[in-house]
């Protein structure tokens, strides 16, 4: 399967609000690219790693469970670990938060082992406009659900983007599952 797989209600509204509140109190870093490079033309977002948030240990437990379920149901990839912490991203209309077309697999040591990407929609869709997560597994562009608490999973080699946020703020949670090279 190359497309998106959606797990509705992966996080409750209260879980989403709690995680956004934790992230909002943290110092957010400028979102970078593989290798630590930053380029506001490609990505404009504030980030915080879940490992750096107090009282957020429950997030990784939930995320690993979601990945296991989706991998059984839709992908069947050889996954071995989670070598990176989950990250919370804030895309804000004040700076036209976005992330242009990219794949999550890259030349970095960890990025080269990414196999499955999971993105959880933390914001209420009424809180912002723009900011649509789109994937392009083939010649068609598919828009992900904007329903709060939904988890969207796709192979890490699939091109995807977040369109510019035009009003409000979009919060999301992302994690990558790692494993041996595709063959």
């Amino acid at each position: 399967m190359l497309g998106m797989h959606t797990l509705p209600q992966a996080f409750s509204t209260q879980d989403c609000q709690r995680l956004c509140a934790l992230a909002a109190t943290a110092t957010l870093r400028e979102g970078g690219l593989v290798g630590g490079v930053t380029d506001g033309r490609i990505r404009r977002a504030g980030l915080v790693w879940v490992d750096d948030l107090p009282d957020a240990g429950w997030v990784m437990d939930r995320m690993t469970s979601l990945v296991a379920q989706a991998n059984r149901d839709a992908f069947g990839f050889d996954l071995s670990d989670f070598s990176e912490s989950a990250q919370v991203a804030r895309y804000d209309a004040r700076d036209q938060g976005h992330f242009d077309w990219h794949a999550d697999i890259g030349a970095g040591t960890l990025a080269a082992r990414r196999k499955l990407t999971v993105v959880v929609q933390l914001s209420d869709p009424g809180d912002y406009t723009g900011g649509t997560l789109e994937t392009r597994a083939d010649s068609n562009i598919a828009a992900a659900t904007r329903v709060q608490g939904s988890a969207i999973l796709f192979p890490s080699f699939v091109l995807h983007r977040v369109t510019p946020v035009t009003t409000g703020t979009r919060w999301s949670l992302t994690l990558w599952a790692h494993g041996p090279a595709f063959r």
Side-chain angles (χ1 to χ4, degrees), residues 58-105:
W58 59 274
V59 174
M60 278 302 286
D61 292 339
R62 178 81 51 84
M63 294 292 276
T64 56
S65 175
L66 294 172
V67 168
Q69 176 186 344
N71 195 43
R72 274 191 313 271
D73 294 348
F75 299 102
F77 290 164
D78 184 6
L79 302 177
S80 59
D81 59 88
F82 297 92
S83 296
E84 298 169 270
S85 172
Q87 70 178 211
V88 176
R90 181 189 70 204
Y91 297 91
D92 200 302
R94 288 177 293 191
D95 58 3
Q96 297 181 324
H98 69 280
F99 199 166
D100 208 353
W101 289 112
H102 68 286
D104 287 342
I105 288 180

Side-chain angles (χ1 to χ4, degrees), residues 2-6 42 91 97-104 117-121 128-146 152-165 170 172 174:
L2 287 180
M4 284 185 281
H5 180 73
T6 302
I42 298 171
Y91 297 91
H98 69 280
F99 199 166
D100 208 353
W101 289 112
H102 68 286
D104 287 342
T117 298
V118 56
V119 178
V120 177
Q121 169 65 23
Y128 66 99
T129 56
T132 302
L133 171 62
E134 298 177 334
T135 63
R136 190 171 187 174
D138 54 25
S139 61
N140 300 301
I141 295 173
T145 183
R146 295 167 68 99
I152 299 95
L153 296 98
F154 50 89
S156 296
F157 56 76
V158 168
L159 289 175
H160 57 287
R161 71 177 175 182
V162 175
T163 63
V165 174
R170 175 188 184 263
S172 64
T174 303

